[in-house]
């Protein structure tokens, strides 16, 4: 057995949310590993712009495809194009996802300070925001798996979902995102069992805290540019004492994509600088 990731070379990898902060780094990594890479995102202009860098370097082995993870028809269309140009799909990375301010409470707790301002709490959440965050993270993983995984049957396929720290214990302020990521863990295990006899593996990466666009408003004070109280709390609860860099996820991504992990399925692996192991004492 070869002890490297060279079996990824030539495999067809679909990356949803391919133009996001993590997606861009994942795409570079999979392209460097020699995958035939499909970068998928849902807006044409965004997709063209973000594909350009990798495309310039890797040319024919990169395909930029517009696909909406919440619309089955759009994914079926995308699959036709992928199959025509690259053949059957081997690896699926479900990286479209995220939180939104409309599904975030202003306050962490209900207490005597905000009893007259319940709009700052759970009671003030916008249900459409709640729904869209839940849908993007949960259905946005279910649907691409439903459309793309059929190609993987009996061909050693690998599906990698993106979970989060809040899937193990919810974080304050973001109930929809926390519940949706918990559902990703459950779905990962369910699919791993369901697909096990067809040699499709399903695993998830649970990133810890990475300072990115989607959580910046919670972690950095807009005016002072200093860490917010929440940002400081996170650093204090992370034994390694720092936020992660998206590149820190690459080793695990390649491991789960490659046949080197061929007996690993149904696991959710944290990459978190020790956050989930630390009780705070
Ligand atoms: N950034 C973090 O700190 C962090 C931590 C833990 C988990 N995660 C998870 O990692 C994943 C990637 O996060 P990110 O920071 O790269 O997010 P991001 O917002 O930078 O990227 C998400 C990408 O998904 C695309 N997208 C949104 N809706 C879509 C749709 N309907 N169809 C197709 N594409 C769509 C967006 O255009 C964007 O390019 C998400 O699931 C996120 O929840 C992120």
């Amino acid at each position: 057995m070869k002890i490297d990731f060279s079996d990824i070379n030539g495999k067809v990898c679909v990356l949803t949310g391919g133009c996001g902060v993590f997606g861009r780094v994942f795409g570079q990594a999979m392209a460097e590993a020699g995958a035939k890479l499909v970068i998928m995102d849902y807006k044409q202009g965004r997709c063209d712009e973000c594909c350009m860098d990798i495309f310039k370097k890797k040319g024919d082995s990169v395909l930029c495809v517009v696909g909406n993870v919440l619309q089955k028809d759009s994914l079926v269309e995308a699959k036709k194009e992928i199959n025509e140009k690259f053949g059957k799909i081997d690896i699926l990375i479900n990286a479209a996802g995220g939180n939104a301010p409309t599904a975030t409470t202003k306050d962490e707790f209900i207490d005597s300070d905000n009893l007259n301002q319940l709009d700052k709490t759970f009671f003030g959440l916008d249900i459409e925001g709640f729904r869209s965050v839940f849908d993007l993270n949960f259905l946005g993983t279910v649907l691409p798996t439903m459309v793309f995984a059929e190609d993987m049957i009996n061909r050693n396929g690998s599906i990698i979902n993106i979970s989060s720290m809040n899937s193990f214990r919810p974080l304050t302020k973001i109930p929809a995102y926390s519940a949706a990521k918990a559902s990703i863990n459950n779905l990962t295990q369910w699919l791993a069992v369901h697909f096990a006899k067809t040699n499709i593996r399903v695993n998830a990466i649970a990133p810890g805290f990475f300072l990115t666009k989607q959580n910046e408003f919670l972690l950095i004070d807009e005016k002072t540019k200093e860490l917010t109280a929440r940002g400081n709390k996170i650093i204090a609860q992370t034994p390694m004492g720092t936020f992660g860099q998206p590149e820190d996820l690459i080793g695990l991504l390649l491991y789960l994509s490659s046949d080197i992990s061929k007996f690993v399925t149904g696991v959710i692996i944290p990459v978190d600088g020790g956050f989930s192991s630390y009780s705070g004492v």
Side-chain angles (χ1 to χ4, degrees):
M1 184 188 174
K2 274 191 154 184
I3 309 297
D4 60 27
F5 301 133
S6 60
D7 62 289
I8 295 174
N9 192 48
K11 286 199 175 153
V12 177
C13 170
V14 175
L15 170 62
T16 73
C19 299
V21 176
F22 286 177
R24 287 176 196 240
V25 174
F26 292 172
Q28 292 283 358
M30 294 307 287
E32 285 306 321
K36 289 184 184 168
L37 176 67
V38 181
I39 298 177
M40 183 178 293
D41 216 284
Y42 74 146
K43 289 188 180 151
Q44 182 78 57
R46 182 169 172 80
C47 205
D48 294 343
E49 174 270 318
C50 95
C51 280
M52 202 43 80
D53 276 354
I54 300 186
F55 189 78
K56 271 189 210 148
K57 280 193 220 147
K58 298 288 174 183
D60 288 350
S61 59
V62 177
L63 192 60
C64 308
V65 175
V66 174
N68 187 332
V69 295
L70 296 175
Q71 291 174 4
K72 195 170 178 195
D73 291 354
S74 143
L75 298 172
V76 169
E77 271 310 298
K79 182 169 184 291
K80 272 189 211 146
E81 187 181 344
I82 296 163
N83 288 159
E84 263 165 34
K85 297 201 172 135
F86 278 177
K88 287 193 171 186
I89 296 156
D90 303 289
I91 300 166
L92 170 63
I93 305 170
N94 282 312
N99 185 40
T102 48
T104 305
T105 64
K106 292 204 172 49
D107 290 349
E108 287 192 340
F109 304 101
I110 299 178
D111 57 23
S112 51
D113 289 342
N114 58 16
L115 267 184
N116 293 325
Q117 294 172 293
L118 287 179
D119 57 314
K120 290 181 163 180
T121 75
F122 173 74
F123 297 105
L125 282 176
D126 169 47
I127 200 63
E128 278 317 311
F130 206 101
R131 200 194 309 272
S132 70
V133 166
F134 204 91
D135 282 358
L136 175 60
N137 290 280
F138 183 62
L139 290 182
T141 295
V142 170
L143 279 173
T145 303
M146 201 175 267
V147 174
F148 300 131
E150 211 177 312
D151 271 6
M152 299 178 189
I153 292 176
N154 292 329
R155 297 180 54 253
N156 293 339
S158 176
I159 299 171
I160 300 160
N161 296 330
I162 310 298
S163 179
S164 165
M165 269 312 96
N166 59 38
S167 65
F168 305 119
R169 278 179 305 167
L171 300 177
T172 55
K173 293 191 169 187
I174 49 175
Y177 186 60
S178 294
K181 290 303 190 186
S183 77
I184 290 297
N185 294 5
N186 193 281
L187 178 75
T188 298
Q189 293 175 314
W190 190 90
L191 287 170
V193 172
H194 191 63
F195 288 162
K197 299 194 192 306
T198 65
N199 286 335
I200 302 174
R201 298 181 300 113
V202 190
N203 294 291
I205 297 175
F209 292 88
F210 293 70
L211 188 54
T212 61
K213 213 171 27 154
Q214 70 172 256
N215 59 19
E216 205 176 37
F217 73 101
L218 287 169
L219 305 181
I220 300 284
D221 185 289
E222 219 179 309
K223 287 187 194 124
T224 65
K225 303 294 172 206
E226 301 282 320
L227 282 177
T228 58
R230 189 180 181 88
N232 277 314
K233 232 195 242 183
I234 288 166
I235 294 297
Q237 291 285 327
T238 303
M240 287 188 163
T242 179
F243 292 113
Q245 304 288 328
E247 289 74 12
D248 296 333
L249 302 167
I250 288 175
L252 180 56
L253 182 82
L254 295 178
Y255 167 75
L256 293 175
S257 299
S258 159
D259 291 344
I260 209 165
S261 60
K262 71 182 170 48
F263 198 48
V264 178
T265 196
V267 299
I268 295 99
I269 304 180
V271 180
D272 67 349
F275 181 92
S276 56
S277 300
Y278 187 40
S279 70
V281 179

